[in-house]
């Protein structure tokens, strides 16, 4: 699907399936609404699946990997070679996301959407749009066409996974320098100062942080970014990994699949996705609140509350995959709790 085709395919959630699921929760042997957002999650999944008997069966984490030309400005502690190394480690079960995904039985799919060198590992999906973005401190990170192409990579990966039976997804990313691009996007979209939304990322000193902030300010100014045009923002100060995740969110909505957002960088992509295709919003589930400075601001902008508060800021999808476990708990309760009739202790009634 093209981006426009995916947007056109997104449907509202099935109200009939949601009403049935909501009503069934109220027949189960527990105080009404006592499982709170777990009940809401199952009900929302029913609306997404358009099925009054929702049961997620197969989970996948999509990790978009790409390099960022702005690394040339000295905004990171490590070099771009780390992007490829960590991405390839995901095929060897050595990366954090792979270890954590095993808890929920999820499969991890690393995608090369823009690593600066070739990735010869067959376990990495080769969907490269270009060999890293250009240096956004000198000009646009990519063309508008390249940004759309990267979004469509995300859409196509979701389509492929749906054909393989995956019906619950999470997003992740790997790309040295992507907290710099994410902070730039965040500053523009939220109309907040660069200082307020920018953190140290992977281990910068306070002096390094000051330099990072100046580079972001320069990038926004030199590119004359239009805050009212999300594709303009993405192409000028964004990254291919972020664009790929935007596509995952829009693609998941088009394919009627619930998808968990990870942390800061994934939330930036989610905000872009909702601005490009507002109707994808109910398909997106926040897993946790990133410990990066703008983590909560982004979730507030999305009007979403995280399920987990754990001061995490690793990326890769490590928080999003924990959303799978929460979903497992929710569906365990929904399908295995006995009804009031089976418990023989009466029913709870709605109070005014």
């Amino acid at each position: 699907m093209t981006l426009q085709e995916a947007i056109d395919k997104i449907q509202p959630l099935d109200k009939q399936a949601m009403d049935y699921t909501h009503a069934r929760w109220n027949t189960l042997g527990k105080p009404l609404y006592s499982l709170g957002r777990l009940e809401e999650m199952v009900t929302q999944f029913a609306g997404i699946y358009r099925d009054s008997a929702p049961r997620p069966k197969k989970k996948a984490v999509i990790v978009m990997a790409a390099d960022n030309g702005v690394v040339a400005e000295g905004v990171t502690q490590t070099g771009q070679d780390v992007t490829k190394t960590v991405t390839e480690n995901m095929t060897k079960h050595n990366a954090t996301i792979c270890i954590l995904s095993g808890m929920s039985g999820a499969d991890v799919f690393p995608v090369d959407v823009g690593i600066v060198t070739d990735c010869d590992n067959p376990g990495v999906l080769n969907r490269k749009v270009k060999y890293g973005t250009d240096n956004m401190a000198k000009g646009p990170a990519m063309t508008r066409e390249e940004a759309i192409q990267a979004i469509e990579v995300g859409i196509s990966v979701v389509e492929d996974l749906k054909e393989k039976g995956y019906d619950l997804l999470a997003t992740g990313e790997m790309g040295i320098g992507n907290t710099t691009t994410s902070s730039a996007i965040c500053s523009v979209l939220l109309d907040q100062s660069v200082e307020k939304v920018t953190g140290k990322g992977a281990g910068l000193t306070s002096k390094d942080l000051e330099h990072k902030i100046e580079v972001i300010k320069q990038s926004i100014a030199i590119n004359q970014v239009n805050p009212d045009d999300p594709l303009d923002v993405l192409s000028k100060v964004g990254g291919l990994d972020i664009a790929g995740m935007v596509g995952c969110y829009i693609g998941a909505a088009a394919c009627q699949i619930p998808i968990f957002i990870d942390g800061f960088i994934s939330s930036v992509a989610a905000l872009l996705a909702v601005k490009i295709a507002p109707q994808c919003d109910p398909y997106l589930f926040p897993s946790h609140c990133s410990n990066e400075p703008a983590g909560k601001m982004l979730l507030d902008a999305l009007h979403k509350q995280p399920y987990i508060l754990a001061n995490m800021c690793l990326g890769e999808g490590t928080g999003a995959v924990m959303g799978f476990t929460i979903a497992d708990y929710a569906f365990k309760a929904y399908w295995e709790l006995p009804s009031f009739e089976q418990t023989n202790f009466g029913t709870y009634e709605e109070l005014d």
Side-chain angles (χ1 to χ4, degrees), residues 36-341:
R37 294 180 66 203
L38 298 191
E39 298 185 28
E40 294 170 8
M41 179 187 286
V42 173
T43 302
Q44 197 166 335
F45 274 36
I48 291 170
Y49 291 142
R50 313 186 77 77
D51 187 346
S52 58
R55 291 179 186 267
K57 300 177 184 68
K58 202 172 178 183
K59 308 161 189 163
V61 185
I62 304 169
V63 183
M64 289 290 171
D67 280 301
N68 300 280
V70 73
V71 168
E73 299 297 318
V75 293
T76 61
Q77 188 181 56
T78 57
Q80 290 184 320
D81 57 302
V82 173
T83 301
K84 178 180 178 180
T85 299
V86 175
T87 302
E88 292 191 331
N89 280 345
M90 291 178 188
T91 70
K92 306 169 189 174
H93 207 75
N94 287 341
T96 309
I97 182 56
C98 297
I99 294 166
L100 296 185
S101 66
M103 291 288 293
S104 58
D107 297 319
V108 178
F109 293 90
V111 182
D112 175 5
V113 68
I115 297 176
V116 77
T117 54
D118 285 317
C119 213
D120 300 323
N121 190 312
V124 178
L125 300 178
N126 182 8
R127 304 292 178 87
K128 196 188 298 286
V129 172
K130 64 186 293 185
Y131 290 89
T133 55
D134 300 325
N135 184 352
M136 70 182 192
K138 307 296 185 186
M142 59 189 126
T143 66
R144 191 180 184 93
E145 292 71 27
E146 287 167 341
I148 293 172
Q149 186 180 346
I151 291 172
E152 291 176 348
V153 165
I155 293 170
S156 69
V157 170
V158 170
E159 285 185 287
D160 291 346
L161 291 178
K162 182 178 181 179
E163 288 182 7
K164 294 176 181 177
Y166 291 93
D167 56 5
L168 182 54
L169 301 175
T171 55
E173 39 62 39
M174 181 59 222
I176 298 303
N178 61 10
T179 60
T180 301
T181 54
S182 297
S183 295
I185 293 172
C186 188
S187 175
V188 173
L189 292 185
L190 299 185
D191 192 24
Q192 296 286 346
S193 70
V194 175
E195 288 88 349
K196 191 171 182 179
V197 301
T198 306
K200 293 182 178 180
L204 293 182
T205 65
S206 296
K207 184 177 180 181
D208 291 336
L209 175 59
E210 292 176 8
H211 174 64
K212 179 179 177 180
I213 288 169
E214 289 307 312
V215 169
I216 294 171
K217 287 181 176 179
Q218 176 184 331
S219 300
I220 294 170
I222 198 171
N223 285 297
Q224 298 182 328
V225 183
N226 179 2
D228 298 320
D229 183 350
L231 284 173
D232 186 72
V233 179
L234 174 61
S235 61
K236 288 179 175 176
V237 294
L240 292 160
D241 51 348
I242 296 171
M245 288 189 293
V246 171
C248 290
Y249 296 129
I250 294 174
C255 292
Q256 296 174 5
I257 299 174
I259 185 166
F260 280 99
I261 306 165
D262 190 35
F264 173 52
I265 300 159
S266 295
S267 296
V268 165
L271 184 58
L272 283 165
V274 169
K275 285 185 175 294
I276 293 168
Q279 60 270 50
C280 77
D281 177 78
Y283 292 82
L284 279 52
F285 293 78
S287 58
H288 74 114
C289 182
S290 170
N291 202 37
E292 286 288 325
K296 185 178 185 301
M297 283 188 274
L298 284 163
L299 292 180
D300 287 346
L302 286 163
H303 307 292
K304 295 184 184 293
Q305 293 182 338
Y307 292 98
I308 300 168
L309 292 172
N311 292 339
M312 295 172 61
C313 55
L314 175 58
E316 297 181 17
T318 49
V321 77
M322 294 180 186
F324 289 161
T325 305
I326 294 172
D328 288 342
Y329 279 117
F331 279 94
K332 185 79 170 175
Y334 184 72
W335 287 116
E336 296 189 18
L337 270 172
S339 67
F340 284 123
E341 184 178 351

Side-chain angles (χ1 to χ4, degrees), residues 21-40 43 340 348-351:
T21 306
H22 174 80
R24 185 177 183 278
W25 270 118
N26 290 345
T27 69
L28 303 182
K30 60 170 183 58
L32 295 179
Y33 314 118
S34 57
L35 286 177
R37 294 180 66 203
L38 298 191
E39 298 185 28
E40 294 170 8
T43 302
F340 284 123
Y348 287 92
E349 297 180 359
E350 296 262 13
L351 299 178

